[in-house]
Amino acid sequence: MLAGKTILLMIGGGIAAYKSLDLIRRLRERGAEVVPVMTHAAGEFVTPLSVSALAGRKVHTDLFDLTEEAEMGHIQLSRSADLIVVAPATADLIGKVAGGLANDLASTLLMATDTEVLMAPAMNVRMWLHPSVQRNLAELRGQGVGFVGPGEGDMACGEFGPGRMAEPMEIVAAIEARLTGGPLRGKRVLVTSGPTHEPIDPVRYIANRSSGAQGTAIARALVRQGADVVFVTGPADVAPPEGAEVIKVQSAVEMLDAVRSALPVDAAIMAAAVADWRVKSASGSKIKKVAGALPVLQFEENPDILATVAQMGEGRPGLVVGFAAETDDVVAHATAKRSRKGCDWIVANDVSPETGIMGGDENAVVLISDSGAEEWPRMGKQAVADRLVERIATTLGLGQGG
Ligand code: C5P
């Protein structure tokens, strides 16, 4: 609930502005006061009348408005809120704040405030990936600006990729986590994700088909619930979650080092698809192709990161969660894996090709814990993550693993 909280909502000029209308409704349903500010460009996408009708108050648009300035100065406006939310945050608004520019009401308010700022970026995928935008984002992150999204998917401009504004309910959750703490506030949680790349020589490696989607969704859900998340990821297909501390690694050995350096944590969620073997004495120079002679690779076992953390004795996280991707006898294999590895829970799934789960958007999991096997219905990977994180929050709240 957001009763008694005031949110200064800045609507930037992008097609995603239509989602901000719904955002206003959702915030007011939860008891928040919404003070709307629109850039002039936002007015090309939604009308001030709709915004004002939904917010139940006047919309601020002009920097040089004498009546407004007499009623409430823009400095005061920027400081009267508990949180400033910029949705959609366009490349232009992000760039202005990163560059210290203030030439309209929205950018002036952002420059003149000491209130916490949360941005929901929305832009074309090429713009999002542009080095200038990425540099500006890094600058703002460094200043403590929070971000929610963008998501990946089909965009209004017809392209596909990161740049889609987070859905209103995701933004609401991020706001609630900031203003009401979130159930995992103060908890430090480690997530491993993605595949590992095991080098053969400087240009070749052995890998697997993990996309990192499930691990990223879990980390995102943890951030939303207020946790401090350390996200250790191999070379994944999906972008790492906003708001987490991201450590990028290549091999299993590097992943173990990164995991050790992240400890101590309250919980460790090991979703990475770690390679079981690495090439023994990988070549320091590119192996030459020699006619008629095939190279012979010798393997050695990689460290089991999950088992190492689960069995570490002193300093062991209160809750250690492993994953099991199986193709047959899912529950039996995963139950055996849980006791072999020494972790508290195993999230098991059937990755037979006909399930379409590996690399797909959905997952059907069985949660194996002390109390047996619990089958969850098939749902989106983010929904699996949200439900798992809810369970993690309850368990950590009770001060126990298992
Ligand atoms: O043994 P298996 O690979 O099936 O176990 C899967 C679980 O163990 C996952 O949680 C995975 O992240 C973890 N694991 C690990 N280090 C390895 C192999 C697996 O942490 N070397």
Side-chain angles (χ1 to χ4, degrees):
M1 285 305 281
L2 293 167
K5 303 289 183 194
T6 302
I7 290 154
L8 187 72
L9 175 66
M10 285 185 191
I11 305 178
I15 181 64
Y18 79 91
K19 292 192 198 172
S20 302
L21 297 179
D22 191 32
L23 176 62
I24 298 175
R25 276 189 47 227
R26 306 280 181 182
L27 290 170
R28 293 198 68 207
E29 271 167 15
R30 284 163 177 73
E33 279 281 322
V34 179
V35 179
V37 172
M38 289 172 71
T39 63
H40 282 288
E44 302 289 333
F45 296 92
V46 289
T47 68
L49 188 59
S50 325
V51 173
S52 145
L54 287 164
R57 56 196 298 160
K58 120 182 216 142
V59 184
H60 303 270
T61 47
D62 286 313
L63 181 56
F64 302 112
D65 181 322
L66 283 181
T67 330
E68 280 201 30
E69 205 55 29
E71 285 167 5
M72 184 195 253
H74 59 256
I75 304 275
Q76 180 55 28
L77 186 60
S78 75
R79 299 203 179 148
S80 57
D82 295 292
L83 184 70
I84 296 181
V85 176
V86 189
T90 56
D92 180 65
L93 264 175
I94 290 170
K96 274 184 187 161
V97 185
L101 301 179
N103 63 354
D104 61 4
L105 181 62
S107 52
T108 303
L109 291 176
L110 285 164
M111 291 301 300
T113 194
D114 51 5
T115 304
E116 193 178 350
V117 177
L118 174 70
M119 291 190 169
M123 66 194 76
N124 167 273
V125 51
R126 293 270 156 251
M127 286 172 81
W128 173 256
L129 297 173
H130 195 284
S132 300
V133 171
Q134 289 298 319
R135 181 199 59 211
N136 290 340
L137 289 165
E139 166 64 30
L140 294 188
R141 269 188 213 112
Q143 291 177 19
V145 172
F147 288 91
V148 49
E152 211 167 277
D154 289 323
M155 303 184 59
C157 55
E159 291 187 48
F160 181 89
R164 223 162 85 138
M165 188 167 93
E167 294 304 320
M169 282 313 293
E170 265 183 88
I171 302 175
V172 168
I175 292 171
E176 282 182 329
R178 272 169 184 75
L179 292 183
T180 61
L184 287 170
R185 195 177 187 109
K187 301 285 184 200
R188 186 173 157 84
V189 183
L190 165 74
V191 178
T192 69
S193 183
T196 62
H197 283 182
E198 306 299 331
I200 296 171
D201 66 20
V203 295
R204 303 182 179 99
Y205 58 82
I206 294 170
N208 61 64
R209 293 187 197 283
S210 164
S211 64
Q214 188 64 78
T216 303
I218 292 168
R220 196 181 295 127
L222 287 162
V223 168
R224 280 196 217 138
Q225 298 305 323
D228 294 327
V229 178
V230 189
F231 185 71
V232 177
T233 178
D237 294 343
V238 299
E242 295 291 342
E245 180 190 336
V246 179
I247 307 178
K248 291 187 176 172
V249 299
Q250 297 283 324
S251 66
V253 168
E254 285 175 22
M255 187 173 275
L256 178 61
D257 280 349
V259 163
R260 283 193 203 280
S261 73
L263 298 176
V265 294
D266 296 289
I269 319 300
M270 315 293 249
V274 184
D276 292 314
W277 316 283
R278 65 174 176 274
V279 177
K280 197 172 178 179
S281 44
S283 172
S285 53
K286 187 180 171 193
I287 300 172
K288 292 275 174 282
K289 186 164 83 174
V290 178
L294 296 177
V296 176
L297 298 180
Q298 264 203 1
F299 289 93
E300 63 187 336
E301 220 172 295
N302 263 332
D304 191 316
I305 305 170
L306 172 62
T308 307
V309 171
Q311 297 169 25
M312 66 190 295
E314 202 182 327
R316 181 193 192 274
L319 179 67
V320 180
V321 182
F323 285 70
E326 307 287 349
T327 51
D328 52 281
D329 263 345
V330 175
V331 173
H333 282 131
T335 306
K337 188 167 290 178
R338 175 174 173 266
S339 44
R340 198 167 61 241
K341 304 248 185 183
C343 56
D344 302 300
W345 302 348
I346 284 272
V347 179
N349 59 7
D350 185 344
V351 291
S352 312
E354 63 273 18
T355 64
I357 283 174
M358 198 94 174
D361 294 333
E362 293 192 331
N363 207 349
V365 309
V366 184
L367 179 67
I368 294 166
S369 68
D370 235 3
S371 21
E374 187 184 308
E375 208 168 309
W376 291 4
R378 191 176 171 118
M379 53 183 116
K381 285 184 175 170
Q382 190 62 58
V384 169
D386 290 345
R387 189 158 162 179
L388 184 67
V389 167
E390 214 173 278
R391 194 63 75 83
I392 292 168
T394 315
T395 305
L396 291 184
L398 296 172
Q400 61 182 50

